[in-house]
Amino acid sequence: MLTLINRNRFFYAPLESGAAARVRPPGTVANVVCGFDILGFALNEPCDEMIVELSDEPGIQIINKDDYDLPTIAEKNVSGAALLALLEDSPDVKGLKLTSTKNIKPGSGIGSSAASAAGVVVAANHLLGNRFSKEDLVRFAMFGEKVASGVKHADNIAPCIYGGVTLIRSIHPLDIVSIEAPPLHVTVVHPQIEVRTADARQILKHQVALKDAIKQWGNIAGLVAGFIKGDYDLIGRSLEDVIIEPVRSILIPGFDEVKKKSKEAGALGGGISGSGPSIFMLSKDAGTAQDVAVAMKEVFTRIGIDFHVHISTIKTSPLSAEFV
Ligand code: HSE
C-alpha cells in the first residue's frame, strides 16, 4: 500500500489491521561512569520482547505478559507514552496494540524503561514502512523516559536504537553521535534492590565545583578518545566520575568493594550502570569478564544481597524488528 504521511513523502506500509512486528530491545549502560546523561552503550543481553500490532481500535492497548504489574493506561506506561508520541505524527494510523514481555527488571539501572520505550517505536516504525528516522524514534521514545524518571534523557534510548556507544551531544536539538569502540566485554551485577531513577536524580547536587568539572571534562574527552583510538589504558584511566558517583554510590551496598575487587580481577574500570543499583565493569577479554563476575558474586554473597550477573559484549548493530 502506498501511504502519504504528513511530510509530503510517500512510503510503502502494510497498514492492514492485525499486521504485527516483534522486537527484542536490549539493556543499555547509561552514563558510562563520567558521561552523566550524555554517554551510553547497548548490551547484547539481557533483552525484552515486544509485539506491536496495527489495530482498528483507536489509541494504544497494552497487554503485559510479565509479573511487573506495569500500568496499562498508555499515558502512564513508558511504552504507551512513546507510542502516543509516534501516533501524533502518524495521522493515518488508528491504533496500536502492544504485547510486552519484560526481562529487564524496572529499576535495575540497565535501561529497562529505555528498552520499553525504544523497542515499541522501532517495532511500530517497522510496521509503518520505516517512515521515521532513528532520530525521530529517539524523540518519541524520550516521552516514555519522561514517564519513568520525570525528565527526558536519551543516554539509554539512543544506544538502544542506534547500537554501539553513543554520545548525546544535545537533546534540544537532538544531536546523537555514534562512537567507534574496540571490542569490550561487559560484566554487570544487578543486586536485587530497587533504585528508582527519579529518586537517584533527586539526590544529586545542582552545583559543581569548577575543579571537579575540569576533571570530569578531562575524563569524558579521554573516554571518547580512548574508544575511538582503541586505547584500552586510556579507557581505563578515564572511567572516573568525581561528580555523580560519590553521591549515588551510597545507595548501593558493597559498591566500593565491587569496584576494587573487579579492578584487582583485571577490569579496565567501571562504575554505576545508569542510575543503579547495577554496577558494570569493562574488560578487554572474555576470560577477564568471567573473573570479574566471580569477584562481584563474592562481594554480594558475603554481604547477603541476592544478585544477577550478566556478561555481554557491546551490541554494535542498530535495533531492528521483524514481521510476525
Ligand atoms: N542518565 C540517567 C541517570 C540514566 O543517570 O539518571 C538513567 O538510567
Side-chain angles (χ1 to χ4, degrees), residues 30-31 36-37 153 155-156 197 201 248 274-275:
N31 300 337
F36 179 69
D37 275 2
H153 57 93
D155 52 340
N156 291 106
T197 298
R201 295 182 79 89
R248 282 186 170 171
S275 55

Side-chain angles (χ1 to χ4, degrees), residues 173-189:
L174 258 183
D175 189 355
I176 297 165
V177 184
S178 288
I179 307 284
E180 287 293 314
L184 283 161
H185 297 261
V186 192
T187 315
V188 184
V189 64

